[in-house]
């Protein structure tokens, strides 16, 4: 049976829990995370968490996920299905905004406009933030702190996402996944100047 984006996100949440508890090192976590993002069938997802106590919930369902994965415990907010953000539409305008700590991401549609979105507060070692951002003749500027790995899964027609080389990290500060549809526009992912140590940049 084929998996959905939520099935993949649930598996990644389990991998996050295992990484946070020390069962997976960073390399193992990233390898399995990449496999989860690329998975097409449910058995591929369950194989990634079969050796983890955190994975018992997902494996026990025996099929696609129908309920949220339990929280990892005190002090850590884990995105669940009920926390998925609603779609926001921006038309011929935009504003600066920040993702809150523990945020699962955003769902935006930009038409002839777009926001400046700062994700530093939501990132961190082992965190996965999913941005479902679509754009038509517009797009967002997404500012990431150093160390964030950016995974571009958007579908683009006469447009696309531009990830600046300085904004592509090694995953030591989390992973940002970009999804959505882009036409005649796109998103720009840039390094957040406020998170760079040293003297402030000159403009």
């Amino acid at each position: 049976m084929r998996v959905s984006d939520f099935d993949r996100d649930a598996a990644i949440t389990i991998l996050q829990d295992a990484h946070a508890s020390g069962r997976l090192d960073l390399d193992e976590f990233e390898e399995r995370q990449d496999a989860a993002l690329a998975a097409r069938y449910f058995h591929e997802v369950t194989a990634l968490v079969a050796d983890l106590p955190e994975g018992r919930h997902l494996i026990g369902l025996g099929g696609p996920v129908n309920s949220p994965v339990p929280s990892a415990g005190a002090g850590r907010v884990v995105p669940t299905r009920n926390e998925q953000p609603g779609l926001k539409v921006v038309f011929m305008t935009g504003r600066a905004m920040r993702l809150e700590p523990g945020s699962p991401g955003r769902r935006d549609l930009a038409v002839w406009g777009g926001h400046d979105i700062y994700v530093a507060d939501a990132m961190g070692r082992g965190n996965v933030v999913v941005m479902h951002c679509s754009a038509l003749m517009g797009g967002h500027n997404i500012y990431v702190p150093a160390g964030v790995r950016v995974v571009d899964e958007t579908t683009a027609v006469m447009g696309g996402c531009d990830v600046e080389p300085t904004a592509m990290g090694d995953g030591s500060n989390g992973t940002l996944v970009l999804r959505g549809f882009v036409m005649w526009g796109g998103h720009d992912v840039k390094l957040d100047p406020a998170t760079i140590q040293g003297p402030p940049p000159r403009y």
Side-chain angles (χ1 to χ4, degrees), residues 78-102:
V78 177
T80 67
R81 186 173 193 174
N82 293 331
E83 294 172 341
Q84 287 299 310
L87 177 66
K88 307 292 184 183
V89 179
V90 56
F91 180 69
M92 296 182 68
T93 187
R95 63 186 178 90
M97 59 181 59
R98 292 187 178 276
L99 293 190
E100 297 296 328

Side-chain angles (χ1 to χ4, degrees), residues 5 10 50 68 71 75 79 81 85-86 93 95-96 103 115 117 139 158 162 164 198:
D5 283 342
S71 172
R81 186 173 193 174
T93 187
R95 63 186 178 90
S103 171
H115 297 307
I117 305 173
M158 292 186 287
D162 180 31
E164 293 185 351

Side-chain angles (χ1 to χ4, degrees), residues 11 14-15 24 32 43-60:
I14 292 169
L15 296 174
L24 296 177
R32 295 191 189 197
H43 74 272
E44 296 175 301
V45 173
T46 56
L48 298 172
V49 300
D51 61 341
L52 303 172
E54 295 87 349
R56 288 178 295 184
H57 175 80
L58 183 63
I59 295 173

Side-chain angles (χ1 to χ4, degrees), residues 3-10 132 153 179:
V3 295
S4 66
D5 283 342
F6 178 70
D7 299 324
R8 298 182 187 94
D9 292 344
H132 296 265
E153 296 184 351
R179 293 177 180 159

Side-chain angles (χ1 to χ4, degrees), residues 1-2 12 60 71 74 81 101 109 122 125 149 155 165 174 180 188-189:
M1 187 172 292
R2 287 182 175 267
I12 290 173
S71 172
R81 186 173 193 174
L109 170 60
R125 189 176 183 88
R149 187 166 66 108
T155 300
D188 292 325
V189 182

Side-chain angles (χ1 to χ4, degrees), residues 37-196:
L37 290 170
R40 295 183 179 180
Y41 296 95
F42 193 75
H43 74 272
E44 296 175 301
V45 173
T46 56
L48 298 172
V49 300
D51 61 341
L52 303 172
E54 295 87 349
R56 288 178 295 184
H57 175 80
L58 183 63
I59 295 173
L61 293 173
V65 176
N66 296 311
S67 60
V69 175
S71 172
R76 183 162 180 263
V77 180
V78 177
T80 67
R81 186 173 193 174
N82 293 331
E83 294 172 341
Q84 287 299 310
L87 177 66
K88 307 292 184 183
V89 179
V90 56
F91 180 69
M92 296 182 68
T93 187
R95 63 186 178 90
M97 59 181 59
R98 292 187 178 276
L99 293 190
E100 297 296 328
S103 171
R106 288 187 61 85
R107 291 180 180 271
D108 284 282
L109 170 60
V111 181
W112 291 354
H115 297 307
D116 290 337
I117 305 173
Y118 297 83
V119 303
D121 293 341
M123 303 311 301
R125 189 176 183 88
N127 287 0
V128 178
V129 174
V130 181
M131 305 280 286
H132 296 265
C133 293
S134 297
L136 175 62
M137 293 186 287
H140 302 298
N141 293 315
I142 303 171
Y143 295 91
V144 300
V148 172
R149 187 166 66 108
V150 181
V151 179
D152 182 9
E153 296 184 351
T154 55
T155 300
V157 176
M158 292 186 287
C161 295
D162 180 31
V163 182
E164 293 185 351
T166 56
M168 178 58 78
D170 58 4
S172 59
N173 198 15
T175 300
L176 176 69
V177 182
L178 301 177
R179 293 177 180 159
F181 178 78
V182 174
M183 184 172 182
W184 292 347
H187 311 299
D188 292 325
V189 182
K190 307 176 182 181
L191 188 63
D192 186 347
T195 65
I196 302 174

